[in-house]
């Protein structure tokens, strides 16, 4: 849903090839063999560094899930989808930096924009799919581990990546402001209408996630109350477990909102004439969500931790059977 082609004509965008007045750099596709005649934007360096960390973190998660046969449950399939999307987003941020300062081409830049839009959209949509999966694992706990669950997970993956690919292709196929600069948004070369669609889609997903997590909290509290009634008292252990579960859900949703809401709001209210530092300042925290996702959804999981130990040192062995957990345990 975003991109680092953030140019609004201000001095902080000096190194970005989309700045008006820097159009001489947008010729045919060619490698630069001369020293850079313009300073490197420090915001672009931070975005590139963020992309590097994101790519490394999520590449490990993708490798663990791919090479571990036991991690084939619906929960891990969705976590793998999220890690793949974030991995692509990290790679896109790195490539965007390279294409800004090494290769000058409108075609390449448009492809990079579409790649980043598709990757971040897939990341956000995968978060929604994980939320839906967690809700059904609690709402239909008795039938969760069935072929029907795997089918609806596959359907969610097809819809997630299909919609993300369509949104990513829009600027590449012509919905851009290259031929009409007045239609540009705070994220060039996306048009204002295109960015409004992306921001509105985010708010719809965020609202749906908020509703689902509220329902999950109600189910968790109701289950804790039922257990307490069966045991005729509500122990401190039950209270702590319930409080911990609700706090975890709050942290997950709060992290997602804190990362993306500033940029989504600015996409709706910002104008292309505004200083680009505002765009960078809201865009950079949004990329941090892809950095935090593997920590929240993957590295905290005991099975992925075990597989990571096996991947790093093949001599690690675990005695006893290992039970595949449901999303509600994560």
């Amino acid at each position: 849903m975003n991109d680092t082609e953030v140019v609004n004509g201000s001095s902080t965008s000096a190194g970005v090839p989309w700045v008006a007045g820097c159009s001489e750099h947008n010729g045919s596709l060619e490698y630069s063999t001369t020293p850079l005649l313009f300073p490197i934007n420090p915001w672009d360096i931070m975005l590139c560094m963020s992309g590097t960390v994101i790519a490394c973190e999520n590449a490990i998660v993708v490798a663990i899930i791919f090479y571990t046969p036991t991690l084939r449950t619906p929960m891990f399939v969705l976590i793998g989808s999220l890690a793949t999307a974030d991995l692509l987003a990290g790679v896109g941020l790195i490539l965007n930096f390279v294409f800004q300062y090494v290769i000058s081409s409108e075609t390449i830049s448009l492809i990079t924009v579409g790649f980043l839009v598709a990757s971040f959209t897939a990341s956000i949509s995968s978060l929604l799919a994980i939320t839906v999966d967690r809700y059904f694992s609690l709402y239909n706990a008795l039938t969760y581990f069935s072929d029907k669950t795997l089918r609806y997970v596959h359907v969610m993956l097809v819809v997630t990546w299909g919609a993300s690919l369509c949104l990513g292709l829009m600027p590449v196929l012509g919905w851009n402001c290259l031929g009409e600069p007045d239609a540009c948004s705070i994220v060039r070369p996306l048009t204002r209408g295109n960015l409004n669609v992306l921001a509105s889609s985010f708010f719809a997903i965020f609202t749906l996630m908020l509703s689902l997590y509220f329902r999950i909290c109600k189910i968790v509290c109701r289950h804790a109350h039922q257990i307490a009634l069966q045991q005729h008292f509500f122990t401190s252990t039950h209270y702590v477990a319930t409080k911990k579960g609700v706090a975890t859900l709050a942290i997950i949703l709060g992290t997602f909102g804190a990362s993306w809401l500033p940029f989504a709001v600015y996409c709706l209210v910002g104008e292309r004439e505004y200083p680009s530092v505002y765009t960078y300042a809201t865009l950079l925290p949004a990329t941090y969500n892809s950095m935090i996702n593997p920590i929240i959804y993957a590295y905290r999981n005991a099975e992925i931790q075990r597989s990571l130990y096996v991947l790093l040192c093949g001599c690690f062995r675990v005695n006893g059977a290992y039970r595949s957990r449901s999303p509600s345990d994560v």
Side-chain angles (χ1 to χ4, degrees):
M1 236 182 110
N2 48 31
D3 172 57
T4 57
E5 300 293 341
V6 221
V7 283
N8 305 304
S10 67
S11 59
T12 58
S13 306
V16 184
W18 293 103
V19 176
C22 293
S23 58
E24 64 272 13
H25 298 294
N26 289 332
S28 59
L29 177 61
E30 59 181 3
Y31 289 93
S32 175
T33 58
T34 59
L36 294 175
L37 301 179
F38 48 86
I40 297 180
N41 190 334
W43 287 101
D44 289 328
I45 295 176
M46 287 188 287
L47 285 171
C48 183
M49 292 174 61
S50 176
T52 303
V53 175
I54 291 169
C56 292
E57 280 185 324
N58 288 281
I60 295 174
V61 177
V62 172
I64 290 173
I65 295 177
F66 183 80
Y67 287 107
T68 307
T70 57
L71 302 182
R72 295 292 184 270
T73 61
M75 174 183 67
F76 289 111
V77 170
L78 293 175
I79 291 177
S81 172
L82 174 63
T84 301
D86 287 333
L87 170 61
L88 295 176
V91 172
L93 290 172
I94 298 172
L95 293 178
N96 183 69
F97 179 84
V98 173
F99 293 149
Q100 283 185 18
Y101 295 100
V102 179
I103 302 176
S104 300
S105 169
E106 287 186 352
T107 302
I108 292 294
S109 296
L110 272 176
I111 294 175
T112 306
V113 171
F115 185 80
L116 283 168
V117 168
S119 300
F120 281 114
T121 302
S123 175
I124 294 174
S125 300
S126 294
L127 289 175
L128 174 61
I130 291 174
T131 306
V132 173
D133 182 62
R134 285 182 168 181
Y135 173 74
F136 281 117
S137 72
L138 291 170
Y139 188 77
N140 297 318
L142 297 178
T143 60
Y144 176 76
F145 292 100
S146 64
D147 293 338
K148 183 179 179 181
T149 300
L150 196 58
R151 285 196 297 270
Y152 87 69
V153 166
H154 289 159
V155 170
M156 285 196 296
L157 288 178
V158 171
V159 173
T160 292
W161 286 94
S164 301
L165 183 61
C166 290
L167 291 175
L169 286 175
M170 285 182 179
V172 179
L173 297 180
W175 198 4
N176 58 68
C177 64
L178 293 182
E180 191 178 355
D182 291 340
C184 285
S185 65
I186 60 170
V187 182
R188 245 187 119 189
L190 299 181
T191 65
R192 184 65 185 268
N194 193 340
L195 202 61
N196 285 342
V197 169
L198 295 174
S200 300
S201 300
F202 164 79
F203 283 111
I205 291 175
F206 182 72
T207 301
L208 185 54
M209 288 179 63
L210 189 64
S211 173
L212 286 173
Y213 273 122
F214 178 74
R215 291 171 180 264
I216 290 173
C217 286
K218 290 178 63 176
I219 293 175
V220 170
C221 293
R222 185 170 67 247
H223 285 179
H225 182 67
Q226 290 173 349
I227 292 174
L229 290 178
Q230 291 174 359
Q231 298 182 355
H232 306 292
F233 62 93
F234 194 79
T235 65
S236 58
T237 303
H238 293 150
Y239 174 76
V240 171
T242 304
K243 184 178 179 181
K244 181 180 178 181
V246 174
T248 300
L249 296 179
I251 291 173
I252 291 173
L253 194 61
T255 301
F256 176 66
S259 299
W260 277 103
L261 278 175
F263 182 70
V265 171
Y266 188 63
C267 285
L268 294 178
V269 302
E271 299 290 344
R272 64 186 181 90
E273 295 84 6
Y274 292 176
S276 62
V277 66
Y278 297 155
T279 307
Y280 279 112
T282 54
L283 174 60
L284 186 62
T287 65
Y288 291 161
N289 186 67
S290 295
M291 194 183 301
I292 298 172
N293 282 340
I295 299 175
I296 293 179
Y297 294 96
Y299 293 127
R300 291 174 59 251
N301 182 276
E303 294 181 58
I304 288 184
Q305 290 175 4
R306 172 179 175 272
S307 299
L308 179 60
Y309 295 148
V310 173
L311 185 66
L312 295 179
C313 53
C315 60
F316 181 82
R317 299 180 65 182
V318 176
N319 295 325
Y322 208 87
R323 180 180 64 90
S324 179
R325 303 190 302 170
S326 70
S328 57
D329 295 324
V330 181

